[in-house]
Amino acid sequence: MGKIKSLLICAAAVACPVFICTDNAVGAALRSAAYISAGIYSASESGFESIYGSDKPEMPDIPDTSYPQSLPLFSSSSNGESSEKTESASGEPNIPVQSTRGTVIRLNASELTDDTDYSVFTKHSGAIHRFNYGKYTSGGYINLPSGAQVKNCTYVSSSTLEEAAKLLPVFIGDYNPSEPQVLIYHTHTTESFLPEADWYDDRYPTRSHSSERNITAVGDAICEALAERGISSVHDCTVHDYPSFPGAYANSAETIKRNLEQYPSIKIVIDVHRDGIVNSDGSLPAPIAEINGKNAAQFMIISGCDDGTMDMPNYIENFKLACLLQDCAENAYPELARAVLFDYRCYNQHLSTGGLLIEVGSHGNSLDEVIYTGELLGNVIADALEKRYE
């Protein structure tokens, strides 16, 4: 069923441009599937909605009262073969970039260039609405000790999740920050951002091959902040969504497996994206928090839950990590994090028990805002690791 579901979602994503202006039920259904596949949500002042709306489909019974308290970090298995030294697109070996204290191993940076003339995009198509999602009092939200929140879109009871949130994630092996502890990668590597402005041009491209404009710039900021805190990381910049967008998650799964085999010290695996939100009136939201007098794009952690078809039995370990990061973010930078989305999604999180997806801003946010968030998010991850091993 899981494979069939994935194929249907990918088909909807491909068909969406055809039906995007269609108001009938078929068009609406395809748009919804495509938006979910691409990580796009409808936005409102009250926050994002469950993908199920008010009527959830029937789901298989899922045990929600018992789960392993001690798990191996990674659920993927190795074939026993030694991995080859990773090389860049040019064939040259990747040289670790020494930072102040930790080490950043930057792999497979794209040599593709962005030759777009951005000066031509001066059409005022609509307003950019900068705002903060804030906290929610409606049902379905779980409050964490810090005051941060989790949006539960599953049939797992809130009481079970509240108990899990009190536990620290289980990592195996010694904590040696001189060895890579964190893997940052990007399934949708070409996702990019707008320039700083109060308006947008609807012709402006939301994808870029330039690592200075796309989501990999956020990954760089995360890893550099980790290095400043003495924590080593791997930033794999492999392009997974070009030339084939529908195959992006299959492509990034291979990147995860390769890095976990080559760097077994990795404990946290984060797929960094940007969200794609459009208001009903056509304006672009740009969720922000003011941190130290500067606008930072809000981020949202997505922690997947197994519906019985995803081969992700240890999802609760990922959830515990999500809650730890959420609490650290709220303590250090109040309102920077949107509520954690806990939903029936996989996003390759079955490959590890330290795997999460994080949406940094939306395509209405500026590059400066999301890079600043990358710096802050690196500190949040460092705080979480230090709390886990204090």
Side-chain angles (χ1 to χ4, degrees), residues 26 50 52 122 266 277 316 323 345:
V26 174
S50 165
Y52 301 114
T122 57
I266 289 173
I277 318 171
I316 203 72
C323 292
R345 308 185 185 203

Side-chain angles (χ1 to χ4, degrees), residues 121-128 130 194-201:
F121 300 110
T122 57
K123 174 185 172 186
H124 288 224
S125 301
I128 293 177
R130 285 180 168 80
L194 293 178
E196 182 72 47
D198 294 324
W199 51 269
Y200 68 92
D201 185 331

Side-chain angles (χ1 to χ4, degrees), residues 170-343:
V170 175
F171 297 140
I172 63 171
D174 296 332
Y175 177 55
N176 181 359
S178 66
E179 296 180 350
Q181 303 296 302
V182 181
L183 168 63
I184 300 296
Y185 72 101
H186 314 277
T187 295
H188 296 154
T189 322
T190 63
E191 290 175 330
S192 61
F193 302 88
L194 293 178
E196 182 72 47
D198 294 324
W199 51 269
Y200 68 92
D201 185 331
D202 59 14
R203 304 167 302 166
Y204 195 92
T206 57
R207 303 269 170 179
S208 174
H209 291 299
S210 171
S211 61
E212 295 180 354
R213 288 183 176 273
N214 64 29
I215 193 67
T216 60
V218 179
D220 285 338
I222 293 172
C223 292
E224 288 304 315
L226 285 169
E228 289 293 329
R229 296 284 294 274
I231 297 170
S232 297
S233 62
V234 176
H235 184 199
D236 197 315
C237 305
T238 300
V239 176
H240 301 112
D241 59 346
Y242 180 85
S244 174
F245 183 84
Y249 279 97
N251 295 337
S252 64
E254 295 306 310
T255 291
I256 298 169
K257 294 174 186 176
R258 181 176 66 247
N259 280 286
L260 294 186
E261 182 178 358
Q262 187 165 358
Y263 303 102
S265 58
I266 289 173
K267 296 174 174 58
I268 296 176
V269 179
I270 298 181
D271 188 2
V272 180
H273 290 243
R274 66 127 170 85
D275 211 341
I277 318 171
V278 180
N279 285 328
S280 58
D281 63 0
S283 63
L284 289 184
I288 62 164
E290 185 176 319
I291 308 294
N292 298 324
K294 294 173 57 178
N295 282 347
Q298 283 188 288
F299 70 83
M300 179 176 69
I301 300 171
I302 300 179
S303 181
C305 177
D306 195 343
D307 64 359
T309 69
M310 300 178 187
D311 190 27
M312 193 167 57
N314 297 329
Y315 64 84
I316 203 72
E317 291 298 318
N318 292 334
F319 176 74
K320 286 154 62 175
L321 173 60
C323 292
L324 175 59
L325 291 172
Q326 192 79 349
D327 275 333
C328 288
E330 189 67 17
N331 288 329
Y333 311 112
E335 298 191 341
L336 178 62
R338 296 161 59 184
V340 171
L341 179 60
F342 183 67
D343 202 355

